[in-house]
Amino acid sequence: VQLQASGGGLVHAGGSLRLSCAVSGLTFNNYVMAWFRRAEGKEREFVAAIHWSGLNTYYGDSLKGRFTISRDNAANSAYLQMNNLKPEDTAVYFCAAGRKFGSSREHYDYWGQGTLVTVSS
């Protein structure tokens, strides 16, 4: 199983980025997809999750409205659209796949390697 996250980079505050997660080695449309992030010196934090059907989404506190998670089951990919980025959004962002829908890291069995997002003020 491989999860390949991409799309990170350097952006000014107020800007946007779209992260992608390409998945192989599992039946993608049987899995919940999620994004987590880890800022330097902090614990890994839940960002968003999307049900295998794409019909249900769940966001971490204060992120809904700026971040949007989506998926394309035909492309075996998940996405995270991030708008109005703030310096405090600077972190390594990880995509994850699991069989349970929720915010707990324990729900997710497979993890990507992470992509760095840096937001300058």
Side-chain angles (χ1 to χ4, degrees), residues 98-118:
R99 302 302 297 271
K100 294 183 178 180
F101 184 63
S103 61
S104 173
R105 286 175 289 177
E106 287 69 33
H107 289 175
Y108 299 94
D109 304 306
Y110 304 105
W111 293 81
Q113 85 291 355
T115 185
L116 176 63
V117 172
T118 303

Side-chain angles (χ1 to χ4, degrees), residues 13-121:
S16 298
L17 282 174
R18 186 185 192 225
L19 306 183
S20 298
C21 180
V23 179
S24 61
L26 53 75
T27 303
F28 183 76
N29 58 8
N30 285 350
Y31 282 80
V32 174
M33 293 299 299
W35 291 93
F36 288 76
R37 67 185 183 184
R38 187 178 66 229
E40 188 171 352
K42 296 187 177 181
E43 295 290 322
R44 192 170 296 195
E45 175 189 17
F46 171 75
V47 174
I50 185 165
H51 191 261
W52 63 266
S53 67
L55 296 178
N56 293 323
T57 56
Y58 180 38
Y59 293 90
D61 292 343
S62 78
L63 297 177
K64 189 174 182 179
R66 294 195 299 124
F67 289 12
T68 303
I69 189 171
S70 62
R71 65 189 294 156
D72 182 346
N73 286 348
N76 285 4
S77 294
Y79 308 97
L80 184 69
Q81 177 67 43
M82 305 185 294
N83 297 328
N84 190 22
L85 283 161
K86 304 176 181 180
E88 52 264 41
D89 294 318
T90 295
V92 177
Y93 285 72
F94 300 87
C95 58
R99 302 302 297 271
K100 294 183 178 180
F101 184 63
S103 61
S104 173
R105 286 175 289 177
E106 287 69 33
H107 289 175
Y108 299 94
D109 304 306
Y110 304 105
W111 293 81
Q113 85 291 355
T115 185
L116 176 63
V117 172
T118 303
V119 184
S120 64
S121 58

